[in-house]
């Protein structure tokens, strides 16, 4: 990873490399992996191990990338708290559409980090304006299933 003007970029640049960018060099990998696992479990709870287990026999490198980059770097960076990150994830996944398994995980995660169910509903409703009603309706169906599973329907 290199940092330029407050942003992170993966890979090499003409100014050199970081130890983590050199093939075969594991400097920092263990720390990043531990930090990523801790953060992933904090956000996703037991679903974190399920995600990684599902990838273990088919794409373990994707699992490692999720742990070390998504959670060990991005989710661990300063600037946004867990609640804000969860709202961003839910909004993006709702807007993209077709990401039901990931959206399910992140709705669970949002509840785990203290978002109120009504805040999650509002985030998805905002997506209707920018991504369209069909995507927001599909996302709301996922949200509803998670709320039912967790017993937190906001309008009971």
């Amino acid at each position: 990873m290199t940092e330029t003007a407050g942003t992170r970029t993966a890979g090499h640049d003409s100014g050199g490399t970081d130890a983590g960018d050199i093939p075969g060099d594991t400097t920092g990998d263990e720390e990043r992996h531990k930090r990523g696992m801790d953060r992933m479990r904090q956000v996703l709870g037991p679903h974190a191990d399920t995600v990684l287990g599902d990838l273990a026999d088919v794409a373990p490198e994707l699992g490692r990338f999720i742990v070390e980059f998504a959670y060990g770097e991005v989710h661990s960076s300063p600037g946004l708290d867990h609640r804000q990150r969860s709202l961003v994830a839910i909004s993006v996944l709702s807007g993209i559409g077709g990401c039901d398994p990931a959206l399910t995980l992140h709705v669970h995660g949002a509840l785990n980090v203290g978002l109120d169910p009504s805040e999650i509903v509002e985030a998805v409703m905002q997506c209707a304006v920018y991504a369209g009603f069909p995507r927001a309706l599909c996302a709301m169906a996922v949200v509803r299933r998670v709320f039912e599973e967790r017993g937190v329907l906001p309008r009971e």
Side-chain angles (χ1 to χ4, degrees), residues 7 15-16 32 42 52 54 61 66 68 72 77 82 86 88 97 99-100 113 117 127 131 134 144 153:
T7 61
R32 184 174 32 253
Q42 180 181 22
L52 297 176
D54 288 349
E61 285 299 304
I66 290 167
E68 293 178 6
S77 68
H82 296 310
S86 288
V88 170
C99 302
D100 291 6
V113 299
C127 290
R144 181 186 213 351
L153 280 171

Side-chain angles (χ1 to χ4, degrees), residues 2 6 22 24 30 38 41 48 63 79 82 85-86 103 130 146 156:
T2 58
I22 300 170
E30 287 179 26
D38 290 347
R41 286 182 176 136
H82 296 310
R85 288 179 198 283
S86 288
L103 181 57
Y130 300 100
V146 173
E156 290 185 303

Side-chain angles (χ1 to χ4, degrees), residues 5 18 32 35 37-38 53 58-60 91 99 106 117 124 146 154 156:
D18 292 326
R32 184 174 32 253
R35 183 175 60 237
M37 282 305 305
D38 290 347
V58 110
S91 298
C99 302
H106 285 282
V124 174
V146 173
E156 290 185 303

Side-chain angles (χ1 to χ4, degrees), residues 13-124:
D13 64 21
S14 59
T17 62
D18 292 326
D21 291 336
I22 300 170
D25 188 336
T26 59
T27 306
D29 285 352
E30 287 179 26
E31 179 184 326
R32 184 174 32 253
H33 190 83
K34 181 186 178 337
R35 183 175 60 237
M37 282 305 305
D38 290 347
R39 185 60 54 105
M40 191 173 176
R41 286 182 176 136
Q42 180 181 22
V43 173
L44 301 180
H47 298 287
D49 293 313
T50 302
V51 168
L52 297 176
D54 288 349
L55 292 171
D57 62 346
V58 110
E61 285 299 304
L62 179 57
R64 184 185 62 76
F65 185 70
I66 290 167
V67 169
E68 293 178 6
F69 180 68
Y71 286 91
E73 293 291 332
V74 177
H75 275 264
S76 297
S77 68
L80 296 176
D81 63 28
H82 296 310
R83 294 167 42 89
Q84 292 167 326
R85 288 179 198 283
S86 288
L87 285 172
V88 170
I90 288 168
S91 298
V92 170
L93 293 168
S94 296
I96 291 172
C99 302
D100 291 6
L103 181 57
T104 298
L105 289 172
H106 285 282
V107 172
H108 278 291
L111 294 168
N112 292 344
V113 299
L115 278 171
D116 186 81
S118 63
E119 293 173 302
I120 295 168
V121 168
E122 287 295 325
V124 174

